[in-house]
Amino acid sequence: MTKVGWVADRLGNRSLPEEFTADVMVQLCLTEDDPNKLTTSSVGKVIIGEMFRLHPRNTMEALDMLSNTSFWASEGFDVQDQPMCLKRVTGWVTDAKGSSDEKDRLSTLQASSKPDSFASLLGLLGDGSPGGAEDATTLERRTLEALPETAERLAQESVDLYLLEKQLLERRRHGEMYHSRTSQLLLRDLLGGVSVRAATR
């Protein structure tokens, strides 16, 4: 097993906490555009592709965790980076899924080269009629290609909702803290009308 395989296996086999794996996926995304990285290849794409090849279900669960904006905030990441990273990581996973599907099809075709397995080959490829396997494959490919953009859009909506909820919570806390006349007077005279919390944002 190569070093990449060992690292990918360790991240994907649940020997480490899922939160840690998700955090590593975020860090791989965030360092992708770093001009000081020591390689021109996409380290994140290679690692996450290998993770998906070895442990597809666990990789998808970690990716699902990345779609949770509250998780991003609790881990200390800037929620504004979530849409871009979710798009990028989803792209890496869909690339890995597409290449693994293609390898599966090729190996099945090679194994099905006997005349008596023609029926199983038709079952794999479809019956050749319109709407058969070729159309299904094209539809699957288009769906996979659309996933990163969809993930980014949904993540942006989630970030907007998260920030709105956070703002409403801040307003409610402010109202509870400065509900009496005395606290409003102190806020105005001692703090210039701006709470310490609002001033430090």
Side-chain angles (χ1 to χ4, degrees):
M1 183 177 277
T2 64
K3 290 179 184 176
V4 169
W6 184 86
V7 170
D9 182 48
R10 190 87 163 117
L11 287 170
N13 69 7
R14 295 235 173 134
S15 60
L16 298 168
E18 190 174 33
E19 294 82 4
F20 179 80
T21 300
D23 287 350
V24 169
M25 292 170 93
V26 172
Q27 288 300 331
L28 288 170
C29 169
L30 294 174
T31 58
E32 184 70 16
D33 298 325
D34 185 1
N36 296 321
K37 69 180 183 177
L38 301 175
T39 181
T40 56
S41 65
S42 174
V43 175
K45 184 174 183 176
V46 171
I47 294 288
I48 291 176
E50 187 67 10
M51 280 175 60
F52 184 81
R53 188 183 70 77
L54 295 172
H55 308 285
R57 176 174 287 154
N58 298 344
T59 304
M60 294 304 292
E61 288 176 7
L63 178 61
D64 188 46
M65 191 173 277
L66 294 185
S67 67
N68 185 335
T69 306
S70 299
F71 170 77
W72 275 74
S74 69
E75 296 296 302
F77 296 115
D78 183 0
V79 294
Q80 299 294 346
D81 290 331
Q82 185 192 14
M84 177 270 299
C85 277
L86 197 57
K87 176 183 178 181
R88 183 173 285 168
V89 174
T90 302
W92 292 337
V93 171
T94 55
D95 287 349
K97 167 103 174 88
S99 65
S100 70
D101 285 350
E102 193 62 35
K103 287 178 187 173
D104 289 346
R105 283 192 192 99
L106 287 174
S107 64
T108 306
L109 283 172
Q110 290 169 350
S112 302
S113 60
K114 300 176 191 165
D116 61 336
S117 63
F118 187 72
S120 64
L121 184 60
L122 284 179
L124 174 71
L125 297 176
D127 59 3
S129 63
E134 186 175 335
D135 291 341
T137 304
T138 304
L139 179 62
E140 182 180 330
R141 188 179 315 114
R142 286 182 183 162
T143 303
L144 284 175
E145 289 170 358
L147 277 177
E149 297 291 333
T150 304
E152 180 183 36
R153 182 178 47 80
L154 292 174
Q156 186 60 55
E157 290 173 6
S158 177
V159 167
D160 293 343
L161 182 62
Y162 174 83
L163 293 175
L164 179 63
E165 288 174 354
K166 188 175 176 183
Q167 186 179 34
L168 292 173
L169 181 65
E170 290 286 333
R171 286 182 184 169
R172 187 171 49 106
R173 285 182 183 159
H174 185 273
E176 290 171 358
M177 186 176 288
Y178 300 107
H179 69 280
S180 70
R181 287 181 52 91
T182 305
S183 61
Q184 291 174 6
L185 181 68
L186 290 173
L187 174 67
R188 190 187 71 226
D189 292 346
L190 293 178
L191 299 176
V194 179
S195 70
V196 174
R197 180 181 284 270
T200 57
R201 271 190 256 147

